Amino acid sequence: MAEQEDITAEDFGTDAASRARRRGIRERLNASANRKLITGFLATLAGGIFWGFSGTCASYLFENYAVDTAWLMVVRQLCSGALFLVFILATDRARLKQLLTAPRDLALLAVFAASGVFLNQYFYLLAVRAMNAGTATVLQCLQLIIIMVYACLRARRGPRKRELAGVVLALAGTYLLATAGNPSTLVIPPDGLAIGLIAAVGAACMSIIPTGLLARYGSSIVTGMGMLVSGLASSVIIRPWERVPVFDAMGWGAFAVLVFVGSFLAYFLYMQGVKDIGSMRASLIGTVEPVSATITSAVFLGTVFAPTDIAGFALIIAMVFLTV
């Protein structure tokens, strides 16, 4: 009986120690998950703010210097792609080698560079030039409607109620931006509206086309090499070295911020956020992009937005929450 009591006590002590160990492991895992959630949230938030600010930098360059849109796109892509390449060579050289020896993946990367990176960045900059950074960034958010339609067609299903509500909000927001509520007038020039919608198509292609590549090679390699390929291919036609604009210190400063903060850091931090907290949460937090572009345009460039503009922005941002 005494021996049985000793065994029971020993077992009890072992169970208590085991429970304490498991509790300690759970606490460490929860703390790690919370840290990952917080860092992912902050990374996504910063990436969205930086992307919105990139439009303001582009607006500043267009308004104050003789900058060609194609030149700005090509040099931005080359510089951003070079920064990504340095980062990749330092941290992920093996997967880069794997990509460079996979012809089918390289072909898909070329499609991504042309119909995603080039289409989005060139027409986004054109939209900024034709309108303003805030409006261009908001119109780019319409990519989510395109992604939703693609998802419905691929799954062979009809849109859900919230997705239909998102479409209605997006159309209403675009209508307010384009007409200021008066159907007989166009506040946004027709070419500006068309350019903004093409930029949204490019942004949708950037999300849809490289899905398999992202799973195999990671966001830094796919995004960085896509920028580099687009920049190098465009350079053959545009020849950016023949049309370098004359910048003073402020001009080069704005360009440096556009490249490093608005391109490299924006993409890097946002994709890190997607990895840490998932695409749905990242998309929701990413709605800070048009807010950032609107606020920075108003503060730094003195851009004035009408009440109907703000209402249109709000409707399109509400669409994002319904469709992600």
Side-chain angles (χ1 to χ4, degrees), residues 37-186:
L37 189 65
I38 292 169
T39 56
F41 172 84
L42 293 175
T44 309
L45 185 66
I49 291 171
F50 290 163
W51 174 257
F53 188 53
S54 74
T56 302
C57 291
S59 285
Y60 175 80
L61 292 173
F62 290 145
E63 290 178 10
N64 294 280
Y65 303 92
V67 182
D68 181 71
T69 307
W71 181 91
L72 187 61
M73 178 208 66
V74 170
V75 180
R76 173 189 188 181
Q77 289 179 352
L78 290 174
C79 293
S80 302
L83 288 171
F84 268 107
L85 184 59
V86 170
F87 177 78
I88 293 162
L89 291 174
T91 61
D92 206 357
R93 193 173 301 185
R95 284 200 293 181
L96 176 60
K97 281 185 180 179
Q98 184 184 345
L99 171 63
L100 295 177
T101 54
R104 293 185 65 180
D105 287 344
L106 284 174
L108 185 56
L109 181 74
V111 174
F112 165 66
S115 57
V117 178
F118 173 84
L119 200 67
N120 173 239
Q121 292 199 6
Y122 181 59
F123 282 92
Y124 174 73
L125 289 174
L126 283 177
V128 169
R129 182 162 219 151
M131 298 172 289
N132 57 70
T135 306
T137 309
V138 168
L139 288 176
Q140 186 179 249
C141 286
L142 295 174
Q143 62 167 306
L144 292 172
I145 297 297
I146 301 167
I147 295 171
M148 182 202 74
V149 172
Y150 170 79
C152 289
L153 291 174
R154 187 173 181 182
R156 296 180 180 178
R157 65 170 177 84
R160 301 183 180 95
K161 289 181 180 179
R162 62 184 295 166
E163 291 172 338
L164 286 173
V167 171
V168 171
L169 288 173
L171 293 175
T174 307
Y175 168 78
L176 285 178
L177 288 176
T179 67
N182 184 353
S184 64
T185 62
L186 272 179

